[in-house]
Structure formats: structure tokens, C-alpha cells
Amino acid sequence: MSKPRVSIHWLTLAAVIAAAYAALTLLLPIPQYGPVQFRAAEAMTLLPFLFPEAIPGLAVGCFLANLLGSPYVLDWIFGTLATVLAALWTSRMPNRYLAAVPPVVCNALIVGAEIAWSSAGAGAAFLPAFLMNAVTVGLGEALVCFLLGALLLRALEQVPALRSRFDRT
């Protein structure tokens, strides 16, 4: 009999990650939405480097946080899409030092475009708005992922049961 791909452990970890992401985003009194954001929960987007089950957890958590808190309806779809793409890409990174690159790139481009579209529309003002939002969202994401996310991975690396997950060729 083959082992099921989705187990209770897998579902539980995904659910805990979803709940933690949504709670951190909705409850912390810092800018979470808009052109300038410091979404501390985005540090968790480095978790797929260690745990594949973090991918659906981050997707659900991000969708719930955006659905309940974002002033941008497009964020429900495209903000979640940015997180899912970043999580999938992060899960394939060769080492933990590069694990923060996918969330920064995906959020800068996708969320930057989404905010620009919401504020400037499709006209001539879109490109300058996109460039500005890509830079500001990307900077906030870089701070969170390269600082908080790196600290999170560093802390998890100290857990003896998780050390083998850091071994990548």
C-alpha cells in the first residue's frame, strides 16, 4: 500500500501556516497593503524552501488576509498569485541564501503592477506608477524576506529534526 501524498501532518502544517500568515497580516499594526508595505508575514514565504506543505498554507493565508484586509479587489487574486508563484519558486531554490529572491521579485512585479493598475489604470500613467510601486513594494519585501525570513530560516536550522531539510545539492 502506498503512502498518501496528503497526510494529517501535511494538512495540519499547511493550516497552521495559513492561520499564522493571515493573523500576522491582519493583526499587526504596520503597513500591510498599498505601495509602501512591510508585511511581516511575508517572512514565511521562505518556508517552502524547507516544507512543500507551506505552499498551499501560504496561498490560503494570503488569500484570506487579502480578502479580509486589502482595499484592492485585484489583490485577492493577484496578491495571492504572487505568493503562490514565489512559494513554488522558493521551494526549488538551491540554498537558503537565495530563498528570499523569489518573493521579492514576484511581489515587486505582480503586486507593483496590481497597485499601479488600481491607481492609474491602463493609460500613460501606468508605467511610472508601476515602476514606483514595484520599487516600493520590492524594497519592503526585500527587508522582510532578507532580514526576518533569513532569521526564520536560521532559527529553524537550529532545530535538530530539521537540519536534514537544509541539505541541498
Side-chain angles (χ1 to χ4, degrees):
M1 182 173 249
S2 65
K3 183 179 176 183
R5 243 176 99 71
V6 177
S7 66
I8 297 296
H9 176 266
W10 190 95
L11 285 171
T12 303
L13 185 54
V16 167
I17 290 170
Y21 184 101
L24 283 170
T25 303
L26 293 168
L27 299 176
L28 288 178
I30 54 178
Q32 305 284 346
Y33 304 98
V36 176
Q37 50 184 265
F38 190 82
R39 191 181 282 200
E42 284 291 304
M44 296 173 65
T45 60
L46 277 65
L47 290 177
F49 176 75
L50 300 174
F51 309 106
E53 50 271 53
I55 298 168
L58 290 167
V60 170
C62 182
F63 177 74
L64 289 173
N66 290 343
L67 179 67
L68 298 172
S70 179
Y72 306 104
V73 173
L74 290 175
D75 206 18
W76 303 352
I77 297 164
F78 294 104
T80 303
L81 175 65
T83 297
V84 170
L85 291 175
L88 289 167
W89 187 8
T90 299
S91 72
R92 290 166 175 75
M93 295 310 288
N95 62 59
R96 69 183 171 114
Y97 302 106
L98 295 174
V101 172
V104 174
V105 171
C106 290
N107 279 282
L109 297 177
I110 297 170
V111 175
E114 163 207 320
I115 294 170
W117 181 271
S118 295
S119 63
F126 175 79
L127 185 58
F130 166 68
L131 293 173
M132 181 59 146
N133 287 306
V135 167
T136 59
V137 169
L139 284 173
E141 190 76 11
L143 284 170
V144 169
C145 290
F146 282 103
L147 293 176
L148 296 179
L151 287 172
L152 176 62
L153 287 185
R154 181 68 140 166
L156 292 173
E157 187 178 31
Q158 303 308 311
V159 177
L162 299 178
R163 285 202 184 125
S164 65
R165 292 187 180 243
F166 281 88
D167 296 333
R168 300 251 174 127
T169 357

